[in-house]
Amino acid sequence: MGAVKPMPRTTTDSEVVTSEEVLTKRPWNVVVWNDPVTPMSVVVVIFRKIFGYSNNKCTQLMMAVHHEGRAIVWSGARERAESYCVKLQVAGLQATIEHAD
Amino acid sequence: MAGNRLFVRRRDGRIEVRLNDAGRSFVRGVFAQVVTAEREPDHQWHASLHSPIDPSIDADNPLSTLSRQSETTTNAELALVCVDEQFLTNAEAWAWLTSLQVALRSVAVSNGVLSDERLAEINADVRGEIETLQLLLFSLAECL
């Protein structure tokens, strides 16, 4: 019998990446501000068209703008927040973005 | 302007415009002003069309401001070219709504109407312009 060479042992080094550092990304808010001239029904139509929210949600957001002076209408990544803010401004609403607390 | 309902949604999905010559002349002037205001920095509405996107920084992202400028102008130009149409598609009606709303806000901002108290103090001409724009917007929003 010939000498039996040992099979090369293959090892699988499984690396478990443990990240002790948890990266938290604060979202960006799109804020719509109240003004004394814009009809309420127009605000509802604009929210529905831009965000696709239900009538109920659009009405709730519009009432929040009306009573509290401002309302956060969307939160998420900065690029999308900026894009939504531009769409709201193009539709004639006063909108800004801000970093969430 | 004729009748109570200035815009009516028809069964075929289009929106009928029920404005008389004076009404069409008014909205034509409004749409033209939006186009001009976007292009001319000296126009009294220009500042209201360039409000900050992110007030916490000195200058907004130029791509976003360019996008806003382009979309505002496109809407007003589309509204302008179909101002004499009897029936509007949804896209055309949206262009009318956004351009009228931009104009309403611009009239308010350029006259310092930033609160209910100030709104109560404005002169009759500005009040008339604001109320006419609101009337148009109320009626159009009902169809969208």
Side-chain angles (χ1 to χ4, degrees):
Chain A
M1 289 175 54
V4 177
K5 289 183 180 175
M7 293 275 291
R9 187 176 172 186
T10 57
T11 59
T12 304
D13 295 327
S14 60
E15 287 183 21
V16 178
V17 178
T18 56
S19 174
E20 293 176 2
E21 193 176 317
V22 178
L23 209 70
T24 53
K25 285 187 178 176
R26 283 188 297 155
W28 285 79
N29 295 333
V30 179
V31 180
V32 172
W33 299 82
N34 191 32
D35 71 63
V37 292
T38 303
M40 291 179 175
S41 56
V42 172
V43 178
V44 170
V45 166
I46 291 171
F47 286 168
R48 197 173 61 220
K49 170 84 174 178
I50 291 177
F51 297 107
Y53 295 154
S54 67
N55 254 339
N56 274 352
K57 182 164 183 176
C58 292
T59 303
Q60 283 173 3
L61 288 170
M62 178 274 293
M63 293 306 285
V65 173
H66 183 67
H67 290 300
E68 294 161 30
R70 52 167 268 164
I72 295 168
V73 297
W74 190 86
S75 291
R78 182 184 170 102
E79 291 75 16
R80 286 182 71 190
E82 206 167 301
S83 177
Y84 279 133
C85 183
V86 165
K87 287 189 178 302
L88 290 164
Q89 289 189 352
V90 168
L93 299 186
Q94 188 184 356
T96 54
I97 62 168
E98 65 181 20
H99 228 160
D101 291 333
Chain B
M1 288 170 234
N4 289 330
R5 299 182 70 190
L6 304 175
F7 302 93
V8 177
R9 170 76 75 177
R10 289 165 50 98
R11 284 184 181 180
D12 63 6
R14 293 181 300 169
I15 292 165
E16 183 179 355
V17 182
R18 294 182 171 177
L19 299 180
N20 61 18
D21 289 345
R24 292 199 189 255
S25 174
F26 176 82
V27 293
R28 184 182 295 106
V30 165
F31 298 152
Q33 281 222 70
V34 174
V35 173
T36 307
E38 185 54 75
R39 291 173 182 162
E40 294 181 8
D42 293 337
H43 194 284
Q44 59 176 347
W45 292 1
H46 188 79
S48 71
L49 298 178
H50 292 80
S51 54
I53 294 166
D54 179 357
S56 70
I57 54 176
D58 290 336
D60 284 318
N61 177 357
L63 289 177
S64 293
T65 55
L66 185 65
S67 165
R68 176 178 59 193
Q69 181 182 16
S70 166
E71 287 185 45
T72 302
T73 306
T74 302
N75 282 340
E77 284 176 341
L78 175 58
L80 202 50
V81 295
C82 60
V83 75
D84 292 318
E85 295 293 328
Q86 189 179 355
F87 303 105
L88 302 177
T89 64
N90 281 332
E92 290 164 350
W94 176 250
W96 276 53
L97 182 101
T98 56
S99 299
L100 289 168
Q101 173 58 29
V102 163
L104 174 63
R105 190 159 173 275
S106 297
V107 170
V109 170
S110 62
N111 285 281
V113 182
L114 303 175
S115 66
D116 292 335
E117 293 75 25
R118 181 73 184 112
L119 181 60
E121 295 168 359
I122 55 172
N123 69 51
D125 287 348
V126 178
R127 180 186 302 282
E129 191 171 10
I130 285 175
E131 287 175 353
T132 303
L133 287 165
Q134 287 175 327
L135 190 67
L136 289 160
L137 282 161
F138 269 128
S139 184
L140 189 50
E142 279 181 9
C143 302
L144 294 172

